[in-house]
Amino acid sequence: MSQPLSRREVIAALLGTPVLLTGCGESAAKNPPLPPGKLVGASAKAGHRTRTHQPPEIADEDWEQVPVVIVGGGIAGLSAARQLSRLERSDYVLLELEPEAGGTSRSGTSPVVDYPWGAHYVPAPGKANAPLVELFREMGLVEGTDEAGEPVYVEEALCRDPEERIFYRGTWYEGRYLAAGASPEDQAQYDRFREEVDRWVAWRDDRGRRAFTIPMSVGSDDSTVTSLDQISMADWMATHGFDSPRLNWLVDYACRDDYGLRSQQTSAWAGLFYFAARTNSAGEESQPLLTWPEGNGRLVAHLRSQSKGEIRTGLTVVDLEPVEHDGRQQVRVKAVPADGGQSVGLIAERVIFAAPRFVGRHVIAPWRNSPPEGLEDFQYGAWVVANLFLRDRPAWRGFPLCWDNVIYESSSLGYVAATHQRGLDHGPTVFTWYLPLCDELPVEARQQLLDGGREIWAEAALAELSLAHPDVRSLVERIDVMLWGHAMILPRPGFLWGGARQQAAEPFRGIHFAHSDLSGLALFEEAFHHGLRAADEVAAALKTWN
Amino acid sequence: MNRTPLLFLNVLIIATCGLVYELIAGTLASYVLGDSVTQFSTCIGVYLSAMGVGAWLSGHIHRGEARCFIEVELGVALLGGFSAPLLFLSFARLSWFHVALYGIVFAIGTLVGLELPLLMRILKKDLDFEDLVARVLAFDYIGALAASLLFPILLVPRLGLVRTSLMFGLLNAAVGLWGTWLLEPQLRGVNWLRARGVLVLVLLSACFIKADIFTTLAEDDLYSDPVVYSTTSPYQRIVMTRSDAGFQLYLNGALQFNSADEYRYHESLAHPPLAASRSRKKVLILGGGDGLALREVLASDGVEQVTLVDLDPAMTNLSEQFPPLAELNRHAFEDPRVTTVNRDAMIWLEENPGRFDIVLIDFPDPNSFSLGKLYTRGFYRLLRRRMMDEAVLSVQCTSPLFSRTAYWCIITTLRAAGFHVHPYHVAVPSFGIWGFALASPVPFDQPQQVPDGLRFLNDEVLQSLFVIPNDLGPLETEVNRLDNQSLVRYYELAWWEDARPGKAASGSTAW
Ligand SMILES: Cc1cc2nc3c(=O)[nH]c(=O)nc-3n(C[C@H](O)[C@H](O)[C@H](O)COP(=O)(O)OP(=O)(O)OC[C@H]3O[C@@H](n4cnc5c(N)ncnc54)[C@H](O)[C@@H]3O)c2cc1C
């Protein structure tokens, strides 16, 4: 069998260039017709309205007064909404441009099982992240505490064993590190890498803070740690003498998985964070994962249910204009509905801006002409997510189907089986296939993403899964594809501790910022943290006035 | 050259083949439908009457006897040769089995009935009538004798049914092909006939060599006794074998019961909870699609409703419709008190809020992660919510001798889920020492009495089941949780170290 196909090869093959597809015993021409499906892409059109359109005119009598407006209903916006409700400030309106809230944690439903469109797990937090433990307690996922005071999670919410497997040369193996066929040198390097990670887990600065924590903001800002941000993860591996291919693959996989970047594009700080932040103490196993069939869609639903204020979807915020009124700061918010109906004008005391920062460049009025410094440093990667609906389980060799199914040396991240956590072990299932586009320039990646269209990406998913499951084509009944243009913030070297990020969290004339990009790491915990922080800031500010 | 002796050799072969096909049909029918007396009688009856039809038909052939004879030989070769493989394949569709069986028997009988009259007419040109009849019939009976002796002594044990039938198909085809030379002067278009003869020979030989592609045949090697039924459902491979002592059921290669001693197992699974529970009105059986635990429950007083949840409709349908199995479970599935549900037990428990007085768990051993989840703390906690406060549960827990750690892991897990547990075990010759757990949400006493008239249990034996010998004694284990599946790993390790036959022996797992 040839090397797994790269994305380019698949696309090239599909566009008629005769390359490598023959390697897996099938030529593109022979492929049966693609199963039907739809393109689900985040509403690029509605989003781009923020750039191209003049803000609408709104008649004086049409302006509504609302104490708080939340822009964006992703995890950050919904967490802010829940927090305001907990602080008994449910007098807010949340505006979301998509038809439903959830952002990159949205999910879909099917008669067989619900499935994710983006985020699909959260490592079970330890007691150090009290607000998040509180959230999970509220959801009924914490059944007690152990002797060390750490929360104990109900087993149904923890990722069901077996968690992951890896496909290599025709066979699946348990785990994500490819232990099969590892040389003693590989194994030695792997052990040494874990020791190195453990060293960082145990590390404390002179104020007793850990190097890597979740949320990241309570970790150390000592230069011993932050200087890691100046080199790439690949360089860090090289300088530490790690040249084992399978270890480097594992680290590269981790970077692509969490950040959508190759290890040579990822800040070493972020790379080590991935491994060291999720372990309570050195030598311990990393925290188990909380997951649901529909992924973090479950969290979206819960946060929504706890948000007692008003949530309006299908409304794109196109203009935020801070104004002084009777000596008080106000923000005039304009939003346009996706269906082209009546525009909305809201006058808010405070705004929580929980949309990505690049959106602010087009929406926050004063920034259109003079954007704040460092705004261009916020760059976002592009991702393809395909959901494949299968009539039945495909054939495989080796270790059985897991939650996460990874293909060694593939450009994709493999697939997650939605039925796994539901406990459905037979019959129809839904596979969610993830592909980050790791091109050097995000603009190019986005162009490639949109050029592809459903057919190309669906074919890419099928071609890749066929390597591991020769019969998959005959079992897939539908393939829906999501194109995430601005999927997640990119922690490239220099971004995390370069200053722009820290500055960006400062409120700007009544506008408080909350999106997960402020952490430089697209994680549920960071989005949640910023949502809470911004809500607390706003509630405090309003209290001092009233 | 005098061709007459050679033609008599043909009579001998034809006669042997004819009887072999009849025996194959009769054997297969009694394997599958049970009651060999009836099956053999009906098969022989149909066969003989079909031969009559064949003989009568021969009277309507006025020209070209030689050609007809060869055509008939090739036809018998194909039909007879492929009869066993065809019947094996039709096992999977039980409702078709009768049609296929009698259809094939009738067709072969008709063709065989044509053979001798035609041959006699061919020979009559060389011999006088008295001599002809005497010799043909003599060879016919010798052939029958040969077949009836070879079949049980040599053919079935050595070749198995499928290869036997293919081999005799080959003999018939050879006779046909040979005839194209012997009868050449009386034939037209001889080359075309020969080509067809060769084709039939090649086809049959190929299948004879490749007979293993019939998975059933391949399985004959896996199982110690002849396979009488096999099918692959979306969930598992179901195979039944038959030995002198009775029937065996295998799921994915793992023995589930042997009819010779299953009563020991099923009485031990069913009667302790029936005896320990205050009420037995509502009973739940999880797994147990063979209906044998169900049989024990239905025979007990006071049972008003039984719900049986088994993943696989192929399994419960088989238990209801496959005569030997339906007899063994005493047609339990036809009892009006029984509701059968085909669903994953865990999902069913999540979806159905009803509560039960007694629960019996009879899942296959935890040899895969999908089975392992049905032995987790999460599963037992869920089950607890479907049980009355004083309800009693019994669980089959694999062998405490071969996989002692796995056994105690299940006990530990039940306790971790909040159950009070009495471990017990029983000797089942086909399996060895087998382990169970009797559990209840509240503290409870070991049961003291079972009803009279059981085959295995009486009050004294019941007491002894709860005595734990030293070599089966408790071990410290982890709790089996959904997120660690410790049990599957303990279990695999045990069978790995000691690859003995038992409830989960050969070729069972995909990994
Ligand atoms: C494919 C993929 C997989 C992921 N997997 C994981 C995972 O497994 N675990 C994990 O922790 N994280 C994962 N993430 C990261 C995920 O982004 C975060 O967990 C989290 O969902 C981020 O939430 P957010 O609110 O900060 O941002 P977003 O999800 O980006 O939410 C921003 C919201 O603002 C809305 N919006 C934007 N502009 C406007 C406007 N002008 N007007 C109104 N509304 C607007 C958007 O529509 C969106 O709903 C994944 C991300 C992707 C793309």
Side-chain angles (χ1 to χ4, degrees):
Chain A
M1 188 174 290
S2 67
Q3 289 288 305
L5 302 178
S6 79
R7 183 183 70 252
R8 272 178 210 289
E9 283 156 3
V10 171
I11 293 172
L14 285 158
L15 296 177
T17 335
V19 269
L20 278 176
L21 257 186
T22 40
C24 58
E26 264 181 319
S27 75
K30 263 195 293 172
N31 285 342
L34 200 61
K38 60 177 199 265
L39 192 64
V40 195
S43 311
K45 220 191 253 162
H48 289 159
R49 207 167 284 165
T50 56
R51 307 184 192 176
T52 47
H53 283 246
Q54 277 293 324
E57 292 301 325
I58 289 169
D60 285 347
E61 65 275 16
D62 288 342
W63 287 95
E64 295 169 56
Q65 297 274 350
V66 187
V68 183
V69 168
I70 303 173
V71 181
I75 296 296
L78 290 171
S79 302
R82 164 182 170 272
Q83 181 70 355
L84 286 175
S85 291
R86 282 159 58 92
L87 298 171
E88 288 173 23
R89 280 230 70 114
S90 291
D91 47 0
Y92 56 81
V93 173
L94 184 154
L95 301 173
E96 164 58 50
L97 76 78
E98 297 287 344
E100 53 183 315
T104 45
S105 294
R106 265 175 295 158
S107 57
T109 54
S110 82
V112 175
V113 70
D114 297 348
Y115 51 86
W117 271 123
H120 54 284
Y121 71 93
V122 180
K127 64 179 178 195
N129 193 349
L132 192 54
V133 174
E134 171 56 26
L135 175 78
F136 291 134
R137 207 181 286 278
E138 188 178 276
M139 291 177 72
L141 304 181
V142 180
E143 64 177 31
T145 44
D146 66 10
E147 314 86 63
E150 292 290 346
V152 175
Y153 292 90
V154 299
E155 68 184 90
E156 284 81 357
L158 297 173
C159 184
R160 190 182 139 205
D161 191 61
E163 200 169 298
E164 47 199 6
R165 62 174 180 172
I166 182 166
F167 182 77
Y168 177 62
R169 296 200 180 161
T171 304
W172 291 95
Y173 300 92
E174 186 175 15
R176 181 182 292 174
Y177 175 71
L178 181 62
S183 68
E185 173 60 17
D186 285 326
Q187 194 55 47
Q189 287 198 20
Y190 180 68
D191 295 341
R192 193 159 60 78
F193 178 77
R194 297 194 58 147
E195 280 164 30
E196 197 65 36
V197 168
D198 268 348
R199 206 172 64 72
W200 280 113
V201 173
W203 187 92
R204 298 288 183 275
D205 68 9
D206 47 17
R207 287 168 56 191
R209 291 176 300 182
R210 290 177 58 147
F212 304 105
T213 55
I214 298 180
M216 68 180 298
S217 55
V218 296
S220 176
D221 55 4
D222 189 283
S223 66
T224 323
V225 196
T226 57
S227 62
L228 287 166
D229 187 42
Q230 283 152 26
I231 57 167
S232 76
M233 190 61 194
D235 286 344
W236 184 89
M237 293 291 285
T239 53
H240 285 74
F242 293 124
D243 58 5
S244 155
R246 49 189 77 211
L247 177 59
N248 276 286
W249 176 84
L250 180 74
V251 169
D252 184 63
Y253 182 91
C255 293
R256 287 184 294 131
D257 187 32
D258 252 22
Y259 311 127
L261 288 171
R262 308 301 307 253
S263 63
Q264 56 270 27
Q265 301 167 316
T266 308
S267 151
W269 191 97
L272 285 164
F273 174 95
Y274 179 95
F275 290 98
R278 287 150 181 173
T279 307
N280 286 337
S281 57
E284 263 183 41
E285 289 280 308
S286 56
Q287 286 148 353
L289 305 181
L290 293 166
T291 187
W292 303 269
E294 73 272 40
N296 293 5
R298 180 70 61 96
L299 299 169
V300 170
H302 177 77
L303 291 172
R304 244 204 105 125
S305 74
Q306 299 300 308
S307 305
K308 310 287 181 234
E310 193 184 341
I311 296 181
R312 295 193 203 166
T313 56
L315 279 171
T316 310
V317 173
V318 291
D319 192 43
L320 292 175
E321 193 189 359
V323 289
E324 299 275 337
H325 185 79
D326 295 341
R328 280 172 74 161
Q329 184 69 56
Q330 283 187 337
V331 184
R332 294 164 80 88
V333 181
K334 288 181 184 169
V336 294
D339 57 19
Q342 187 71 44
S343 299
V344 173
L346 300 173
I347 300 174
E349 306 286 332
R350 295 278 155 161
V351 164
I352 294 177
F353 191 77
R357 193 161 177 82
F358 76 89
V359 174
R361 166 111 174 65
H362 310 288
V363 169
I364 298 174
W367 287 9
R368 288 199 194 102
N369 296 324
S370 54
E373 220 176 297
L375 194 138
E376 298 302 327
D377 295 349
F378 284 74
Q379 294 193 352
Y380 303 81
W383 283 58
V384 180
V385 178
N387 271 303
L388 295 90
F389 301 79
L390 285 83
R391 196 152 36 80
D392 203 351
R393 314 292 158 112
W396 84 94
R397 203 162 86 199
F399 198 75
L401 184 67
C402 290
W403 173 67
D404 197 5
N405 304 272
V406 174
I407 295 172
Y408 188 63
E409 287 186 331
S410 144
S411 55
S412 86
L413 298 171
Y415 64 89
V416 170
T419 41
H420 185 85
Q421 195 66 11
R422 181 76 187 84
L424 288 168
D425 294 321
H426 304 275
T429 182
V430 180
F431 287 174
T432 310
W433 180 79
Y434 291 91
L435 175 71
L437 302 181
C438 305
D439 299 61
E440 203 39 46
L441 288 175
V443 192
E444 276 180 15
R446 256 186 301 282
Q447 197 52 51
Q448 197 189 8
L449 180 84
L450 298 174
D451 288 350
R454 186 193 83 93
E455 256 112 74
I456 297 288
W457 296 120
E459 186 55 54
L462 267 184
E464 193 190 78
L465 289 191
S466 301
L467 294 177
H469 307 290
D471 59 342
V472 75
R473 237 171 237 283
S474 62
L475 296 170
V476 174
E477 294 184 323
R478 201 174 99 212
I479 306 182
D480 291 347
V481 174
M482 170 78 87
L483 304 180
W484 293 108
H486 297 84
M488 50 173 82
I489 187 77
L490 299 174
R492 291 178 187 269
F495 174 66
L496 293 170
W497 295 97
R501 198 176 57 77
Q502 290 77 349
Q503 236 172 29
E506 293 300 317
F508 173 75
R509 297 176 61 190
I511 305 174
H512 297 252
F513 297 93
H515 192 267
S516 56
D517 60 5
L518 297 172
S519 290
L521 308 170
L523 298 175
F524 175 85
E525 301 93 316
E526 299 297 336
F528 179 74
H529 164 77
H530 286 294
L532 258 58
R533 177 193 47 72
D536 288 343
E537 283 172 13
V538 165
L542 293 179
K543 202 184 246 160
T544 52
W545 280 341
N546 299 345
Chain B
M1 185 187 85
N2 182 0
R3 57 179 191 162
T4 319
L6 292 176
L7 282 169
F8 282 120
L9 183 60
N10 278 355
V11 175
L12 184 74
I13 297 175
I14 290 170
T16 318
C17 291
L19 195 68
V20 164
Y21 300 139
E22 191 181 324
L23 290 172
I24 287 175
T27 312
L28 271 169
S30 49
Y31 271 180
V32 176
L33 305 174
D35 188 2
S36 47
V37 175
T38 319
Q39 299 315 325
F40 268 96
S41 307
T42 45
C43 276
I44 291 174
V46 171
Y47 193 76
L48 287 179
S49 60
M51 278 177 73
V53 173
W56 176 77
L57 280 176
S58 76
H60 293 266
I61 294 165
H62 303 299
R63 284 179 300 120
E65 293 96 345
R67 187 186 183 88
C68 263
F69 173 71
I70 288 166
E71 299 271 10
V72 165
E73 279 314 292
L74 296 183
V76 177
L78 278 177
L79 256 176
F82 285 110
S83 62
L86 277 176
L87 289 175
F88 264 110
L89 291 179
S90 64
F91 278 0
R93 300 245 172 286
L94 258 191
S95 47
W96 286 96
F97 184 74
H98 284 89
V99 181
L101 176 74
Y102 295 117
I104 287 176
V105 167
F106 191 85
I108 297 177
T110 310
L111 290 174
V112 170
L114 277 162
E115 279 175 329
L116 282 192
L118 284 175
L119 199 58
M120 282 165 82
R121 279 161 59 184
I122 295 167
L123 285 166
K124 123 186 132 189
K125 290 157 193 151
D126 303 337
L127 289 171
D128 65 57
F129 185 69
E130 283 155 39
D131 204 16
L132 176 69
V133 173
R135 290 224 234 154
V136 165
L137 289 185
F139 277 104
D140 186 25
Y141 294 132
I142 294 173
L145 176 69
S148 54
L149 291 179
L150 282 176
F151 187 75
I153 298 174
L154 205 68
L155 299 173
V156 175
R158 283 292 161 82
L159 287 178
L161 286 172
V162 171
R163 280 209 167 94
T164 298
S165 104
L166 287 165
M167 191 180 95
F168 281 82
L170 278 168
L171 281 176
N172 269 128
V175 166
L177 196 59
W178 190 12
T180 61
W181 276 280
L182 284 177
L183 306 173
E184 188 153 1
Q186 300 162 37
L187 290 169
R188 270 185 300 145
V190 133
N191 288 337
W192 171 227
L193 259 187
R194 258 178 218 157
R196 271 163 51 204
V198 170
L199 187 73
V200 172
L201 266 179
V202 167
L203 213 68
L204 286 162
S205 324
C207 286
F208 187 82
I209 295 163
K210 284 267 157 201
D212 294 340
I213 54 168
F214 299 100
T215 46
T216 42
L217 239 205
E219 278 169 353
D220 271 334
D221 304 335
L222 268 180
Y223 303 96
S224 41
D225 299 302
V227 172
V228 297
Y229 176 87
S230 66
T231 186
T232 303
S233 77
Y235 307 104
Q236 57 200 346
R237 178 114 188 108
I238 302 172
V239 170
M240 295 207 59
T241 63
R242 179 171 215 160
S243 67
D244 295 342
F247 273 99
Q248 298 80 32
L249 172 74
Y250 293 84
L251 297 181
N252 289 337
L255 180 64
Q256 301 301 307
F257 73 77
N258 183 337
S259 64
D261 57 16
E262 58 76 20
Y263 63 91
R264 286 184 154 237
Y265 176 94
H266 291 106
E267 284 184 7
S268 304
L269 177 68
H271 290 288
L274 285 163
S277 176
R278 294 230 176 129
S279 166
R280 5 169 122 163
K281 282 189 187 144
K282 289 184 71 186
V283 181
L284 174 65
I285 301 179
L286 300 176
D290 52 28
L292 299 175
L294 181 60
R295 172 194 65 199
E296 297 300 319
V297 170
L298 292 175
S300 305
D301 298 333
V303 173
E304 292 178 1
Q305 275 181 36
V306 190
T307 306
L308 184 143
V309 183
D310 190 290
L311 182 61
D312 194 353
M315 187 61 234
T316 47
N317 289 342
L318 185 73
S319 307
E320 195 174 341
Q321 290 162 15
F322 188 61
L325 191 45
E327 265 160 49
L328 198 60
N329 64 39
R330 285 195 223 120
H331 301 276
F333 288 94
E334 288 163 26
D335 192 298
R337 290 172 290 171
V338 177
T339 312
T340 310
V341 182
N342 294 119
R343 193 99 168 98
D344 182 293
M346 189 147 188
I347 308 265
W348 186 84
L349 286 174
E350 276 169 23
E351 292 169 350
N352 290 275
R355 292 174 80 191
F356 294 86
D357 299 309
I358 293 178
V359 182
L360 270 53
I361 299 188
D362 192 14
F363 295 133
D365 276 5
N367 61 11
S368 72
F369 292 109
S370 53
L371 285 166
K373 83 174 178 217
L374 304 174
Y375 292 83
T376 53
R377 185 184 60 178
F379 178 82
Y380 293 135
R381 282 183 178 168
L382 179 61
L383 179 63
R384 162 72 189 88
R385 299 208 288 274
R386 303 291 173 259
M387 290 168 66
M388 306 300 285
D389 290 337
E390 298 195 336
V392 182
L393 159 75
S394 70
V395 189
Q396 93 83 1
C397 299
T398 180
S399 169
L401 191 61
F402 293 137
S403 41
R404 186 168 157 194
T405 331
Y407 177 78
W408 286 103
C409 174
I410 300 173
I411 306 291
T412 306
T413 304
L414 278 163
R415 291 191 169 130
F419 281 99
H420 296 263
V421 186
H422 295 296
Y424 67 103
H425 65 90
V426 59
V428 184
S430 301
F431 293 156
I433 302 292
W434 216 256
F436 297 87
L438 194 64
S440 175
V442 292
F444 68 113
D445 294 328
Q446 277 173 26
Q448 306 291 328
Q449 284 183 323
V450 285
D452 289 337
L454 299 181
R455 284 178 77 187
F456 172 61
L457 285 182
N458 57 36
D459 296 350
E460 289 76 43
V461 173
L462 180 67
Q463 298 308 303
S464 71
L465 302 186
F466 293 86
V467 180
I468 301 173
N470 291 345
D471 61 346
L472 308 182
L475 293 178
E476 284 245 357
T477 72
E478 283 185 29
V479 172
N480 185 39
R481 298 191 318 256
L482 286 162
D483 61 311
N484 69 7
Q485 294 257 19
S486 308
L487 179 64
V488 176
R489 298 168 201 280
Y490 288 139
Y491 184 83
E492 284 297 320
L493 210 63
W495 291 104
W496 189 260
E497 283 162 359
D498 188 343
R500 303 263 197 126
K503 255 211 148 186
S506 52
S508 54
T509 50
W511 51 297

